[in-house]
Amino acid sequence: MHRSRRSVLRLLVAVGLGAGLLGGGWFALRDSGLVAVREVEVTGVSGPQTSAIGSALEAAGRDMTTLHVRREVLLAAVAPYAAVRTVSAETDFPHGLRVRVSEHRPVARLVTPQGTVPVAADGTVLRGTTANGVPTIELELPPAGDRVTDPQLLTAVGLLARAPGALRSKVASASRGSGGLTVQMAEGPAVRFGSGSRLAAKWASLTAVLASPDSRGATAIDVRVPEHPAAA
């Protein structure tokens, strides 16, 4: 009985030592030069910050191995660039690393006396980037931080973000007033949306009104109650 217990104990100790050695060997290999990242491919980047973002990710990636990719380090490397929403990485063993960048898509340009800056649907201010063909929102002062915090401005940005693809390029601007949100169509009518509720229904209602021959020549459309739009 005692011999049996001692045998079992020895076996457990041997297994524990073996696992420790294997684990230590794995960690040594994981961070060794044998699997060091030597080639970094960056995709998904566009705009004036392309080169800077690519260089930052390449430098961060070359400090890793294909067995130990640290996504948090890649994210930290591109933290200064507002255009980057997130990154993902895929290894090409033994020395390759492919980094895919997902960028914020600008949905509007915030126009102030100090200049113009694009903004993403979630309110991220995309400083250092450019945006063409998106509507404008006029402000007296630019946002102070990296994100829009004013609730009314966020609602206006959200309104433009919800615009259906068929109408997005036809929207010239959005404004906020005592009557709520108003959208100015390019070479078309002003559209009263009112509050920021039921935006999908309001955009659908506007699409139907604009498709109707009865709306031709209208200078104003009211979709505050999307079931009962009015054109004048």
Side-chain angles (χ1 to χ4, degrees):
M1 179 67 70
H2 291 296
R3 288 183 180 179
S4 177
R5 289 179 178 175
R6 284 196 296 269
S7 298
V8 171
L9 181 59
R10 291 191 187 109
L11 177 60
L12 292 174
V13 171
V15 170
L17 289 173
L21 290 172
L22 287 174
W26 161 252
F27 284 114
L29 174 62
R30 185 189 70 170
D31 296 319
S32 76
L34 295 174
V35 288
V37 171
R38 296 175 185 170
E39 299 177 1
V40 181
E41 178 186 359
V42 179
T43 60
V45 190
S46 61
Q49 296 180 325
T50 296
S51 179
I53 293 171
S55 296
L57 288 171
E58 287 178 15
R62 290 179 186 275
D63 196 36
M64 303 179 190
T65 72
T66 53
L67 295 179
H68 191 191
V69 175
R70 290 162 290 165
R71 183 170 172 270
E72 70 278 6
V73 174
L74 295 173
L75 288 171
V78 295
Y81 306 101
V84 178
R85 183 173 60 86
T86 189
V87 299
S88 58
E90 183 180 68
T91 58
D92 186 11
F93 190 82
H95 301 297
L97 179 66
R98 291 186 291 270
V99 181
R100 173 71 182 177
V101 176
S102 295
E103 294 183 305
H104 285 288
R105 183 178 66 83
V107 297
R109 290 179 295 142
L110 306 180
V111 180
T112 72
Q114 291 76 24
T116 300
V117 63
V119 63
D122 65 351
T124 299
V125 180
L126 305 177
R127 291 187 174 86
T129 68
T130 58
N132 298 315
V134 295
T136 61
I137 301 175
E138 292 190 2
L139 304 174
E140 294 182 1
L141 295 172
D146 295 330
R147 296 179 68 87
V148 171
T149 57
D150 178 76
Q152 290 187 340
L153 179 54
L154 274 175
T155 301
V157 171
L159 166 67
L160 296 175
R162 296 291 297 274
L167 291 182
R168 188 171 294 124
S169 62
K170 300 178 181 179
V171 177
S173 64
S175 60
R176 305 159 296 160
S178 57
L181 298 168
T182 298
V183 163
Q184 178 62 52
M185 306 300 294
E187 301 181 359
V191 184
R192 295 189 66 184
F193 277 76
S195 71
S197 64
R198 304 186 65 196
L199 291 179
K202 293 175 181 179
W203 279 114
S205 179
L206 175 60
T207 301
V209 171
L210 292 175
S212 171
D214 296 337
S215 68
R216 291 177 183 173
T219 59
I221 297 175
D222 192 330
V223 293
R224 287 177 297 175
V225 181
E227 294 81 6
H228 302 286

